[in-house]
Amino acid sequence: MTFKTGDKAVYPGHGVGEVVGIEHTEVAGQRQSFYVLRILESANGKDRILIPINKVGSVGLREVISEDDVKQVYAILQEKDISVDSTTWNRRYREYTEKIKTGSVFEIAEVLRDLYLLKSDKDLSFGERKMLDTARTLLIKELSLAKGCSKDDIEADLKQIFHTA
């Protein structure tokens, strides 16, 4: 998979970024090329990540999802007939962390759905609340780009799906 300057790409665990350039650097005597990715939702808007071009696949850098994938994400979010695992919060937290690290929008959607369903039954731990926010932020940014709409539109969709105020 190749990217060019100006392309949007998703970096697992960090979210959507924009390829702002390609840098060539010598590392351990070898000349290497890197994509320079600026994460769009970073706190200061300036976070840059260098991703070796020859490692794009192994680090999970990918394109923003397609319109068809958006429909699948919404289908995952709307599933209500699932049993949220009754394991301890820290075991769930580890499982959810692994899912988010994959960078798969479908896995992130599952985490968000599961935590919203769990939240309707009981109070979430601090870690789970943080995880819910992370999953929401990652999903909202990518869905708004994929659908070509505002983040507020996606927020409204999520409120409707999860019946939250």
Side-chain angles (χ1 to χ4, degrees), residues 22-72:
I22 296 174
E23 289 183 7
H24 308 284
T25 308
E26 198 160 304
V27 179
Q30 297 282 326
R31 186 165 167 76
Q32 287 196 343
S33 298
F34 297 86
Y35 288 122
V36 182
L37 193 69
R38 182 179 55 83
I39 300 300
L40 300 179
E41 289 295 310
S42 65
N44 61 13
K46 295 179 182 172
D47 286 354
R48 291 170 17 121
I49 299 173
L50 295 179
I51 301 156
I53 290 176
N54 62 349
K55 299 266 193 255
V56 165
S58 62
V59 300
L61 189 69
R62 63 173 175 78
E63 294 175 330
V64 173
I65 60 170
S66 69
E67 192 68 43
D68 285 344
D69 291 337
V70 169
K71 291 179 185 125
Q72 194 176 341

Coordinates of all heavy atoms in Angstrom, one line a residue, residues 22-72:
I22 N 7.4 12.8 2.8 CA 8.2 11.6 2.9 C 9.6 12.0 3.2 O 10.1 13.0 2.5 CB 8.1 10.8 1.5 CG1 6.7 10.3 1.3 CG2 9.1 9.7 1.5 CD1 6.5 9.7 -0.1
E23 N 10.2 11.4 4.2 CA 11.6 11.8 4.6 C 12.5 10.6 4.3 O 12.1 9.4 4.5 CB 11.6 12.2 6.0 CG 11.0 13.5 6.3 CD 11.2 13.9 7.8 OE1 11.9 13.2 8.6 OE2 10.5 14.9 8.2
H24 N 13.7 10.9 3.9 CA 14.7 9.9 3.7 C 15.8 10.1 4.8 O 16.4 11.2 4.9 CB 15.3 10.0 2.3 CG 14.2 10.0 1.3 ND1 13.6 8.8 0.9 CD2 13.7 11.0 0.5 CE1 12.7 9.2 0.0 NE2 12.7 10.5 -0.3
T25 N 16.1 9.1 5.5 CA 17.1 9.2 6.6 C 18.0 8.0 6.6 O 17.6 6.9 6.2 CB 16.3 9.3 8.0 OG1 15.4 10.3 7.9 CG2 17.3 9.6 9.1
E26 N 19.2 8.2 7.1 CA 20.1 7.0 7.3 C 19.9 6.5 8.7 O 20.1 7.2 9.7 CB 21.5 7.5 7.0 CG 22.4 6.3 6.7 CD 23.7 6.7 6.0 OE1 23.6 7.3 4.9 OE2 24.7 6.3 6.5
V27 N 19.6 5.2 8.7 CA 19.4 4.5 10.0 C 20.3 3.3 10.0 O 20.2 2.4 9.1 CB 18.0 4.1 10.2 CG1 17.8 3.3 11.6 CG2 17.0 5.3 10.2
A28 N 21.3 3.2 11.0 CA 22.2 2.1 11.1 C 22.9 1.8 9.7 O 23.1 0.7 9.3 CB 21.5 0.9 11.6
G29 N 23.3 2.9 9.1 CA 24.1 2.8 7.8 C 23.2 2.5 6.6 O 23.7 2.3 5.5
Q30 N 21.9 2.3 6.8 CA 21.0 2.0 5.7 C 20.1 3.3 5.4 O 19.6 3.9 6.4 CB 20.1 0.9 6.1 CG 20.8 -0.4 6.3 CD 21.2 -1.1 5.0 OE1 20.5 -1.0 4.0 NE2 22.3 -1.8 5.0
R31 N 20.0 3.6 4.2 CA 19.1 4.7 3.8 C 17.7 4.2 3.8 O 17.3 3.2 3.2 CB 19.5 5.2 2.4 CG 18.7 6.5 2.0 CD 19.4 7.1 0.8 NE 18.5 8.1 0.2 CZ 18.3 9.3 0.7 NH1 18.9 9.7 1.8 NH2 17.5 10.2 0.1
Q32 N 16.8 4.9 4.6 CA 15.4 4.4 4.7 C 14.5 5.6 4.4 O 14.8 6.8 4.7 CB 15.1 3.9 6.1 CG 15.7 2.6 6.4 CD 15.1 1.9 7.6 OE1 14.4 2.6 8.4 NE2 15.3 0.6 7.8
S33 N 13.3 5.3 3.9 CA 12.3 6.3 3.6 C 11.1 6.1 4.6 O 10.8 5.0 4.9 CB 11.8 6.1 2.2 OG 12.8 6.2 1.3
F34 N 10.6 7.2 5.0 CA 9.5 7.2 6.0 C 8.4 8.1 5.5 O 8.6 9.2 4.9 CB 10.0 7.8 7.3 CG 11.1 7.0 8.0 CD1 12.4 7.3 7.7 CD2 10.8 6.1 9.0 CE1 13.4 6.6 8.3 CE2 11.8 5.4 9.6 CZ 13.1 5.6 9.2
Y35 N 7.1 7.7 5.8 CA 6.0 8.5 5.6 C 6.0 9.4 6.9 O 6.2 8.9 8.0 CB 4.7 7.8 5.6 CG 4.5 7.0 4.3 CD1 4.3 5.7 4.3 CD2 4.4 7.7 3.1 CE1 4.0 5.0 3.1 CE2 4.2 7.0 1.9 CZ 4.0 5.6 1.9 OH 3.8 5.0 0.7
V36 N 5.7 10.7 6.7 CA 5.5 11.6 7.9 C 4.0 11.8 8.0 O 3.4 12.3 7.1 CB 6.2 12.9 7.7 CG1 6.1 13.8 8.9 CG2 7.7 12.7 7.3
L37 N 3.5 11.3 9.1 CA 2.1 11.3 9.4 C 1.8 12.3 10.5 O 2.4 12.2 11.6 CB 1.6 9.9 9.8 CG 0.1 9.6 9.8 CD1 -0.4 9.7 8.4 CD2 -0.2 8.3 10.4
R38 N 0.9 13.2 10.2 CA 0.4 14.2 11.3 C -0.9 13.7 11.7 O -1.9 13.7 11.0 CB 0.4 15.6 10.7 CG 0.0 16.6 11.8 CD -0.1 18.0 11.2 NE -1.0 18.2 10.1 CZ -2.3 18.3 10.1 NH1 -2.9 18.3 11.3 NH2 -3.0 18.4 9.0
I39 N -1.0 13.3 13.0 CA -2.3 12.8 13.6 C -3.2 14.0 13.7 O -2.9 15.0 14.3 CB -2.0 12.1 14.9 CG1 -1.1 11.0 14.8 CG2 -3.3 11.7 15.6 CD1 -1.5 9.9 13.8
L40 N -4.4 13.9 13.1 CA -5.4 14.9 13.1 C -6.0 15.3 14.5 O -6.3 16.4 14.7 CB -6.5 14.6 12.1 CG -6.0 14.4 10.6 CD1 -7.2 14.1 9.7 CD2 -5.3 15.7 10.1
E41 N -6.2 14.3 15.3 CA -6.9 14.5 16.6 C -5.9 14.6 17.7 O -6.3 14.4 18.9 CB -7.9 13.3 16.9 CG -9.1 13.3 16.0 CD -10.0 14.5 16.2 OE1 -10.3 14.8 17.3 OE2 -10.3 15.2 15.1
S42 N -4.7 14.9 17.5 CA -3.7 15.0 18.6 C -4.0 16.3 19.4 O -4.6 17.2 18.9 CB -2.3 15.1 18.1 OG -2.1 16.2 17.3
A43 N -3.5 16.3 20.6 CA -3.8 17.4 21.5 C -3.4 18.7 21.0 O -4.1 19.7 21.1 CB -3.2 17.1 22.9
N44 N -2.2 18.8 20.4 CA -1.7 20.0 19.9 C -1.8 20.2 18.4 O -1.4 21.2 17.8 CB -0.3 20.3 20.4 CG 0.7 19.2 19.9 OD1 0.4 18.4 19.0 ND2 1.9 19.1 20.4
G45 N -2.2 19.1 17.7 CA -2.4 19.1 16.3 C -1.1 19.0 15.5 O -1.0 19.2 14.3
K46 N 0.0 18.8 16.3 CA 1.3 18.8 15.7 C 2.0 17.4 15.8 O 3.2 17.3 15.4 CB 2.2 19.9 16.3 CG 1.7 21.3 16.0 CD 2.6 22.3 16.7 CE 2.0 23.7 16.4 NZ 2.6 24.8 17.1
D47 N 1.4 16.5 16.4 CA 2.0 15.2 16.6 C 2.4 14.6 15.2 O 1.5 14.4 14.4 CB 1.1 14.2 17.4 CG 1.1 14.5 18.8 OD1 1.8 15.4 19.3 OD2 0.3 13.9 19.5
R48 N 3.7 14.2 15.1 CA 4.1 13.6 13.8 C 4.7 12.2 14.1 O 5.4 12.1 15.1 CB 5.2 14.5 13.2 CG 4.8 15.8 12.7 CD 5.9 16.7 12.3 NE 7.2 16.1 12.1 CZ 7.9 16.1 11.0 NH1 7.5 16.7 9.9 NH2 9.1 15.5 10.9
I49 N 4.4 11.3 13.3 CA 4.9 10.0 13.4 C 5.6 9.6 12.1 O 5.1 9.9 11.0 CB 3.7 9.0 13.7 CG1 3.0 9.3 15.0 CG2 4.2 7.5 13.7 CD1 1.7 8.5 15.2
L50 N 6.8 9.1 12.3 CA 7.5 8.6 11.1 C 7.3 7.1 11.0 O 7.5 6.3 11.9 CB 9.0 8.8 11.3 CG 9.5 10.3 11.3 CD1 11.0 10.4 11.5 CD2 9.1 11.0 10.1
I51 N 6.8 6.7 9.8 CA 6.5 5.3 9.6 C 7.4 4.8 8.4 O 7.3 5.3 7.3 CB 5.0 5.1 9.2 CG1 4.2 5.6 10.4 CG2 4.7 3.6 8.9 CD1 2.8 6.0 10.1
P52 N 8.2 3.8 8.7 CA 9.1 3.2 7.6 C 8.2 2.7 6.4 O 7.2 2.0 6.7 CB 9.8 2.1 8.2 CG 9.7 2.3 9.7 CD 8.4 3.1 9.9
I53 N 8.4 3.2 5.3 CA 7.6 2.8 4.1 C 7.6 1.3 3.9 O 6.6 0.8 3.5 CB 8.1 3.6 2.8 CG1 7.7 5.1 3.0 CG2 7.5 3.0 1.6 CD1 8.2 6.0 1.9
N54 N 8.7 0.7 4.2 CA 8.8 -0.8 4.0 C 8.1 -1.6 5.1 O 8.1 -2.8 5.1 CB 10.3 -1.2 3.8 CG 11.1 -1.0 5.0 OD1 10.7 -0.2 5.9 ND2 12.3 -1.5 5.0
K55 N 7.6 -0.9 6.1 CA 6.9 -1.6 7.2 C 5.4 -1.2 7.3 O 4.8 -1.5 8.3 CB 7.6 -1.2 8.5 CG 9.1 -1.6 8.6 CD 9.2 -2.9 9.3 CE 10.6 -3.1 9.7 NZ 11.3 -4.1 8.8
V56 N 4.9 -0.5 6.3 CA 3.5 0.0 6.4 C 2.6 -1.2 6.7 O 1.7 -1.0 7.6 CB 3.1 0.6 5.0 CG1 1.6 0.8 4.9 CG2 3.8 2.0 4.9
G57 N 2.7 -2.3 6.1 CA 1.8 -3.5 6.4 C 1.9 -4.0 7.8 O 0.9 -4.2 8.4
S58 N 3.2 -4.1 8.3 CA 3.3 -4.7 9.6 C 2.9 -3.8 10.7 O 2.6 -4.2 11.8 CB 4.8 -5.2 9.8 OG 5.7 -4.1 9.7
V59 N 3.0 -2.5 10.5 CA 2.5 -1.5 11.6 C 1.0 -1.3 11.5 O 0.4 -0.7 12.4 CB 3.3 -0.2 11.6 CG1 4.8 -0.4 11.8 CG2 3.0 0.6 10.3
G60 N 0.4 -1.7 10.4 CA -1.1 -1.6 10.3 C -1.6 -0.3 9.7 O -2.8 0.0 9.7
L61 N -0.7 0.5 9.1 CA -1.1 1.8 8.4 C -2.1 1.4 7.3 O -1.8 0.5 6.5 CB 0.0 2.6 7.9 CG -0.3 4.0 7.4 CD1 -0.7 4.9 8.6 CD2 0.9 4.6 6.7
R62 N -3.2 2.0 7.2 CA -4.2 1.7 6.2 C -5.0 2.9 5.8 O -4.9 4.0 6.4 CB -5.2 0.6 6.7 CG -6.0 1.1 7.9 CD -7.1 0.1 8.3 NE -7.8 0.5 9.5 CZ -8.8 1.4 9.5 NH1 -9.1 2.0 8.4 NH2 -9.4 1.8 10.7
E63 N -5.7 2.7 4.7 CA -6.5 3.8 4.1 C -7.8 4.0 5.0 O -8.2 3.1 5.7 CB -7.0 3.5 2.7 CG -5.8 3.5 1.7 CD -6.3 3.0 0.3 OE1 -7.3 2.2 0.2 OE2 -5.7 3.4 -0.6
V64 N -8.4 5.1 4.9 CA -9.7 5.4 5.6 C -10.7 4.4 4.9 O -10.7 4.2 3.7 CB -10.1 6.9 5.4 CG1 -11.5 7.1 5.9 CG2 -9.1 7.8 6.1
I65 N -11.7 4.0 5.7 CA -12.6 3.0 5.2 C -13.5 3.5 4.1 O -13.7 4.7 4.0 CB -13.5 2.4 6.4 CG1 -14.3 3.5 7.1 CG2 -12.7 1.6 7.4 CD1 -15.4 3.1 8.0
S66 N -14.1 2.6 3.4 CA -15.0 2.9 2.3 C -16.5 3.1 2.8 O -16.8 2.8 3.9 CB -15.0 1.8 1.2 OG -15.6 0.7 1.8
E67 N -17.3 3.6 1.9 CA -18.7 3.8 2.2 C -19.4 2.4 2.6 O -20.2 2.4 3.5 CB -19.5 4.4 1.0 CG -20.9 4.9 1.3 CD -20.9 6.1 2.2 OE1 -20.1 7.0 2.1 OE2 -21.8 6.1 3.1
D68 N -19.0 1.3 1.9 CA -19.5 0.0 2.3 C -19.1 -0.4 3.7 O -19.9 -1.0 4.4 CB -19.1 -1.1 1.3 CG -19.8 -1.0 -0.1 OD1 -20.9 -0.3 -0.1 OD2 -19.3 -1.6 -1.0
D69 N -17.9 -0.1 4.0 CA -17.4 -0.4 5.4 C -18.1 0.4 6.4 O -18.4 -0.1 7.5 CB -15.9 -0.1 5.5 CG -15.0 -1.1 4.7 OD1 -15.5 -2.2 4.4 OD2 -13.9 -0.8 4.3
V70 N -18.5 1.6 6.1 CA -19.3 2.4 7.0 C -20.6 1.7 7.4 O -21.0 1.7 8.6 CB -19.6 3.8 6.4 CG1 -20.6 4.6 7.3 CG2 -18.3 4.7 6.3
K71 N -21.3 1.2 6.4 CA -22.5 0.4 6.7 C -22.3 -0.7 7.6 O -23.1 -1.0 8.5 CB -23.1 -0.1 5.3 CG -23.6 1.1 4.5 CD -24.2 0.5 3.1 CE -24.6 1.7 2.2 NZ -24.0 1.6 0.9
Q72 N -21.2 -1.4 7.4 CA -20.8 -2.6 8.3 C -20.6 -2.1 9.7 O -21.0 -2.8 10.7 CB -19.6 -3.3 7.7 CG -19.4 -4.7 8.3 CD -18.3 -5.4 7.6 OE1 -17.9 -5.1 6.5 NE2 -17.8 -6.4 8.3

